[in-house]
Amino acid sequence: MFRDVSDQIAHNPPGRYSGVAVADVDGDGRFEFVVAGFAGPNRVLKWAGGQLRDIAPPVLADPDRQAVGVTAADLDGDGAEELYVLNTDTFTGPKWFADRLFKRAPDGQWEDLFARPANRPVWNLAAGRAVAAIDRRGGGRYGFFVANCGQPARLYELGPAGLLVDLAPPLELSRAAGAWGVLAAPLFGAHTDLFCANEGGPNFLFRNRGNGTFEECAGGLQLADPDEHGRAAAAVDLDGDGRLDLCWGNWEGPHRLMVRRADRAAWRDRATPGLAFPSAVRTVIAADFDNDGHDELFFNNAGEPNRLFRILAGGGHEPVEAHTLTMLDAGDAAEPDGPGTGAAVADIDGDGVLELLVAHGESSPQPLGVYKARGTAGNGWLRVLPRTRFGAPARGAVVRAGIGGRVMVKVIDGGSGFMCQMEPVAHFGLGRATRVDRVTVTWPDGAALALPNPDLNCTYSVPYPGS
């Protein structure tokens, strides 16, 4: 499916790259790829003049740290997203270098909030593996959930007098586990939940009670998978019923496609043998790369070919077994010799077709890879960018598009894959459809807004109701 367009990166030196996020770093209303650099500079790749150009200022490049993950969200409600950069200089246990939490001032200068003396007591000095953004109460202000390897997790929010506070202990989120992948998504209702894909122990599913507190319920829903080593997770509607299901990859173990049963008492694994076949998986991404109206699942593997599957989901009226999962030829993005470390998607050039950026370099320096789907001509698309009441991307919001008797659902990503975060836009491929009946946006507090008969091949920025 994919063709290699890595030559669009103006300067693409080999590096030890890791997690990837998508955010509006320079505040011009367009999104950039933010790539974590391990033992080298972080990169901010902006589409300009027909190429991806690195615009990272020195403070964000931060070349002397060892970054593995990156996530964006509006921490303080000023309408601009902060960047959380997870640094890990050791494999497990204590580490030397604290994480960074970068904030952009009105004059465009960046500051690390952790560098303020008052925030030193809450530094994260444990080796981390994943970070995600969550608006747990639905007010438009986000926290950063940090999963550490064998050490308690953290949840950073902005407290009184602008101080950072760790709310994981009082919210019973500070469990010590080998969490390698964190998914922030509303799996049960409007409120955002947290799924942790763990190594060497059961997965966690922290269900949001609706008031910003959580209960852990993975075991009761058959999502714990205690004998495997989780690496990455993505939310996707696998059976076409308009609700989010779960896909996660296990390191050298069977991958999972978990679909909710009608009674919601437990979830069932519907992975086909081809998808479940073990691999050294890193990132899992769900997206419609070719705009045919059906999502693909991209499995980014380390040291072996990447895999690509298409989900042919109907309208939610047939049994799960009637839906088809097809393995595709990934084309240039198979990367049989590329030890992938992270990946993210965005329509970075604004043409309505998603780009896939794959990071490499865990064991030795390698360039970044950028890929684009073939055969997209004639397929329509629709993109929806929900905003918080403060004007920032509403990560954790859910967007549904009704086309005939079918409802397609997307979540605005707060964190997914493996140390990564996708663009904060709901991207719908429409195939040959000539009409979208309705688009409905639901924010993390339950507020909703409908757009009847939106135009095709457009991007809609949708403000929070009444803002």
Side-chain angles (χ1 to χ4, degrees):
M1 171 186 283
F2 289 103
R3 59 188 174 92
D4 189 348
V5 294
S6 304
D7 58 357
Q8 293 179 348
I9 303 177
H11 180 57
N12 193 12
R16 298 185 63 188
Y17 304 110
S18 193
V20 186
V22 182
D24 179 9
V25 175
D26 59 0
D28 70 346
R30 297 183 297 161
F31 296 109
E32 293 83 43
F33 285 115
V34 184
V35 184
F38 185 87
N42 303 319
R43 307 196 67 191
V44 178
L45 299 179
K46 182 180 187 63
W47 184 257
Q51 288 188 302
L52 285 166
R53 303 179 183 277
D54 193 348
I55 63 165
V59 65
L60 291 187
D62 203 18
D64 297 326
R65 292 287 172 103
Q66 294 174 315
V68 295
V70 58
T71 293
D74 184 6
L75 177 77
D76 53 7
D78 67 350
E81 293 193 310
E82 282 68 50
L83 285 174
Y84 194 106
V85 180
L86 180 62
N87 292 297
T88 297
D89 50 70
T90 58
F91 185 79
T92 186
K95 64 184 181 184
W96 289 103
F97 293 117
D99 300 336
R100 301 288 202 188
L101 181 47
F102 291 113
K103 175 178 176 57
R104 181 166 51 87
D107 63 0
Q109 299 300 307
W110 289 86
E111 175 197 5
D112 175 18
L113 297 183
F114 280 125
R116 295 179 179 178
N119 289 329
R120 186 183 180 96
V122 295
W123 280 7
N124 180 40
L125 292 175
R129 288 294 181 270
V131 57
I134 177 171
D135 179 4
R136 62 183 177 89
R137 292 175 296 187
R141 290 182 173 90
Y142 289 78
F144 291 98
F145 178 80
V146 183
N148 292 317
C149 190
Q151 299 290 320
R154 303 266 195 162
L155 177 61
Y156 290 109
E157 292 187 9
L158 201 63
L163 297 178
L164 293 171
V165 294
D166 176 16
L167 293 180
L171 293 174
E172 300 182 8
L173 295 173
S174 58
R175 300 196 178 199
W180 287 69
V182 175
L183 171 69
L187 299 174
F188 298 96
H191 303 284
T192 306
D193 310 295
L194 288 167
F195 176 76
C196 298
N198 293 332
E199 178 180 66
N203 300 328
F204 299 148
L205 177 55
F206 296 107
R207 181 173 182 173
N208 195 323
R209 294 189 177 98
N211 60 0
T213 66
F214 300 86
E215 60 178 336
E216 202 289 305
C217 58
L221 299 175
Q222 298 181 4
L223 300 174
D225 213 12
D227 299 322
E228 302 301 332
H229 302 294
R231 279 295 186 275
V236 61
D237 183 7
L238 298 168
D239 56 359
D241 67 352
R243 300 183 303 174
L244 292 171
D245 302 302
L246 269 174
C247 175
W248 74 82
N250 287 316
W251 180 263
E252 300 291 9
H255 309 315
R256 308 297 188 188
L257 280 176
M258 303 301 292
V259 178
R260 280 186 288 186
R261 298 168 61 95
D263 59 8
R264 300 190 182 187
W267 299 43
R268 293 183 62 190
D269 187 2
R270 303 307 308 164
T272 60
L275 187 141
F277 193 79
S279 66
V281 67
R282 287 302 196 202
T283 287
V284 178
I285 293 176
D288 189 351
F289 293 104
D290 58 2
N291 286 344
D292 70 342
H294 298 281
D295 281 342
E296 285 83 43
L297 284 169
F298 177 76
F299 280 69
N300 177 29
N301 296 318
E304 59 184 286
N306 300 325
R307 300 182 196 167
L308 186 68
F309 300 85
R310 176 174 288 130
I311 303 168
L312 296 176
H317 305 295
E318 308 91 345
V320 172
E321 288 76 9
H323 303 293
T324 304
L325 192 69
T326 306
M327 190 169 184
L328 305 176
D329 181 357
D332 294 339
E335 292 191 338
D337 300 318
T341 51
V345 295
D347 179 14
I348 208 72
D349 59 4
D351 67 350
V353 179
L354 294 173
E355 281 76 33
L356 167 68
L357 187 145
V358 181
H360 313 105
E362 180 179 56
S363 56
S364 62
Q366 282 193 317
L368 300 168
V370 180
Y371 302 94
K372 200 153 187 165
R374 306 177 191 270
T376 62
N379 288 341
W381 50 273
L382 177 66
R383 291 169 56 78
V384 181
L385 169 56
R387 301 283 186 177
T388 68
R389 66 190 70 203
F390 306 111
R395 298 187 185 269
V398 172
V399 184
R400 292 179 172 85
I403 303 176
R406 184 181 173 202
V407 176
M408 295 188 288
V409 58
K410 305 282 185 178
V411 62
I412 306 302
D413 192 35
S416 63
F418 173 65
M419 304 186 293
C420 293
Q421 187 186 50
M422 309 303 126
E423 65 170 351
V425 182
H427 179 97
F428 296 97
L430 303 176
R432 304 294 169 165
T434 59
R435 172 187 172 92
V436 174
D437 300 319
R438 177 184 295 263
V439 167
T440 303
V441 180
T442 305
W443 279 262
D445 65 348
L449 186 148
L451 303 174
N453 305 125
D455 293 333
L456 308 189
N457 302 331
C458 293
T459 299
Y460 285 84
S461 180
V462 184
Y464 181 84
S467 63

